Amino acid sequence: MPHTSPSTRGGAAGGLGGVLSAFRRHLRLLRGLSPHTLEAYMHDVGRLLAWCGEENKSPMHLELSDLETFSASLHDLGIASSTHARILCGVRAFYHFLELDGYVEQDPSELLESPIQDKHLPEVLTTAEVDMLKDKIDLTKWEGHRNRAIIEVLFSCGLRVSELVTLPLSQIYEEEGFVRVTGKGAKERLVPISPVAIKELHLWYDDRRRMNIKPGEEDYAFLNRRGAHLTRTMILIMIKRLAAEAGIKKTISPHTLRHSFATALLESGASLRAIQAMLGHEKIGTTQIYTHIDMSTLRREVLEHHPRNMRLME
């Protein structure tokens, strides 16, 4: 494929800014990325462009060795391996786009290796600890039943917090016992919802019906006191506050309830494939982290039930 410079593709006035605008459109329209993921990719590419400026290099003429030097600079800055890998993912997406759209002849990032990531197992809560969170909610406040419903839906459906704050009322099918969720890449999935979560939702709906809801916000399941949909930060603050009041020492976030959902399913005998479908993971490898979480349970089961061990325990 012949090399076409940004100036000839988008005009000299457009320059690199025009390329970045085209990349943003590519991520939004063709890749279907969420606004949050899209901005993360743009930020990651911004890191690369800043490095190019410092090194007096053109991003359109980088080779694999240049990208490896850039990657090494991230390591030298002490950036966590997971963040490091995510930045390189954004860089690969950028060069894939540049090759696809004819800005470069060959993608130099094809053989760019990601750092080996440390396997930090996420914190999980037991069902009793989830109940401790709910018990700390003050039901005399207008948002009390809403917050109980939020925790129960996160725990019983394994939703991402971004999926919860955008969850439409019209996608909660109570009679069928399912919730239709729009996840990453605008992909939809059906997730079972528990009777306990439905009960908490009904209590919240009683309060919700008395609210003045802003035009255009009517179909959001969860609202703030001004009648508009919630933000992820609001959920994070609420859950961290409840954990502190409940005396839970674990470092938790809304995502902890998602991890707890998956771990509880695995411990109850659910297959990884079923958990993968309910979490909306594209690859089974992402779901397999929960097998590591469950190793302590597995070891206990073997010690208690394997005949070799049972003889020793008699």
Side-chain angles (χ1 to χ4, degrees):
M1 183 180 294
H3 172 74
T4 312
S5 70
S7 59
T8 57
R9 283 294 308 269
L16 192 56
V19 176
L20 292 175
S21 295
F23 178 52
R24 180 183 289 274
R25 288 194 298 274
H26 168 80
L27 295 177
R28 186 179 72 251
L29 300 177
L30 296 183
R31 294 282 299 272
L33 298 186
S34 69
H36 176 70
T37 305
L38 189 154
E39 291 305 323
Y41 272 43
M42 297 303 297
H43 183 265
D44 296 338
V45 171
R47 279 183 176 271
L48 174 67
L49 299 183
W51 178 84
C52 286
E54 294 169 0
E55 299 293 322
N56 197 27
K57 293 178 180 288
S58 166
M60 300 299 172
H61 298 97
L62 294 188
E63 298 178 352
L64 175 61
S65 59
D66 296 313
L67 293 178
E68 288 174 338
T69 302
F70 167 68
S71 179
S73 74
L74 297 176
H75 179 270
D76 292 342
L77 289 172
I79 291 175
S81 59
S82 57
T83 304
H84 188 165
R86 194 212 67 213
I87 292 170
L88 296 188
C89 184
V91 168
R92 289 191 195 93
F94 181 55
Y95 278 102
H96 176 73
F97 158 75
L98 292 180
E99 182 184 36
L100 191 68
D101 237 35
Y103 289 101
V104 298
E105 291 182 356
Q106 187 173 356
D107 178 358
S109 71
E110 283 184 338
L111 300 178
L112 182 63
E113 295 183 358
S114 289
I116 298 174
Q117 296 191 46
D118 300 327
K119 291 193 177 294
H120 295 296
L121 302 183
E123 295 273 22
V124 295
L125 297 177
T126 64
T127 303
E129 287 173 325
V130 173
D131 289 338
M132 288 167 62
L133 291 180
K134 291 172 63 178
D135 289 342
K136 286 299 176 181
I137 293 172
D138 186 352
L139 294 180
T140 65
K141 296 183 177 179
W142 78 270
E143 73 272 21
H145 286 298
R146 183 203 67 183
N147 290 351
R148 284 178 64 94
I150 285 172
I151 289 174
E152 198 57 51
V153 170
L154 285 172
F155 179 57
S156 82
C157 299
L159 302 189
R160 300 178 178 94
V161 67
S162 58
E163 295 168 346
L164 179 113
V165 298
T166 57
L167 180 66
L169 276 174
S170 57
Q171 300 301 309
I172 301 173
Y173 303 101
E174 294 182 10
E175 290 188 9
E176 294 83 357
F178 282 91
V179 175
R180 186 186 298 277
V181 181
T182 302
K184 290 185 176 179
K187 293 181 180 178
E188 292 188 344
R189 68 185 189 277
L190 287 173
V191 181
I193 184 169
S194 70
V196 175
I198 291 174
K199 178 182 176 182
E200 297 288 2
L201 282 171
H202 282 179
L203 293 170
W204 154 236
Y205 292 160
D206 289 340
D207 296 331
R208 189 182 185 279
R209 279 188 281 269
R210 294 190 289 269
M211 296 181 65
N212 292 320
I213 300 175
K214 287 188 175 182
E217 306 282 298
E218 296 88 353
D219 198 31
Y220 285 101
F222 297 105
L223 303 169
N224 62 26
R225 65 177 64 248
R226 295 180 299 279
H229 66 278
L230 301 174
T231 65
R232 293 178 301 164
T233 302
M234 295 168 70
I235 307 291
L236 173 65
I237 292 171
M238 181 263 288
I239 288 179
K240 282 190 171 294
R241 176 177 56 78
L242 291 173
E245 292 176 2
I248 296 173
K249 303 301 183 182
K250 298 174 181 177
T251 303
I252 71 169
S253 70
H255 217 63
T256 307
L257 292 166
R258 178 170 159 88
H259 292 312
S260 304
F261 161 84
T263 304
L265 286 178
L266 187 68
E267 290 179 349
S268 299
S271 70
L272 279 180
R273 288 294 179 189
I275 297 171
Q276 177 191 10
M278 286 183 278
L279 291 176
H281 286 163
E282 191 170 328
K283 298 178 181 178
I284 190 67
T286 309
T287 314
Q288 284 176 332
I289 187 173
Y290 296 106
T291 61
H292 296 287
I293 296 173
D294 196 45
M295 284 305 293
S296 59
T297 303
L298 177 62
R299 184 175 186 277
R300 186 171 64 249
E301 290 295 312
V302 171
L303 287 174
E304 291 180 1
H305 301 294
H306 193 282
R308 294 291 193 198
N309 297 317
M310 291 172 70
R311 286 182 187 175
L312 293 175
M313 295 170 67
E314 289 176 353

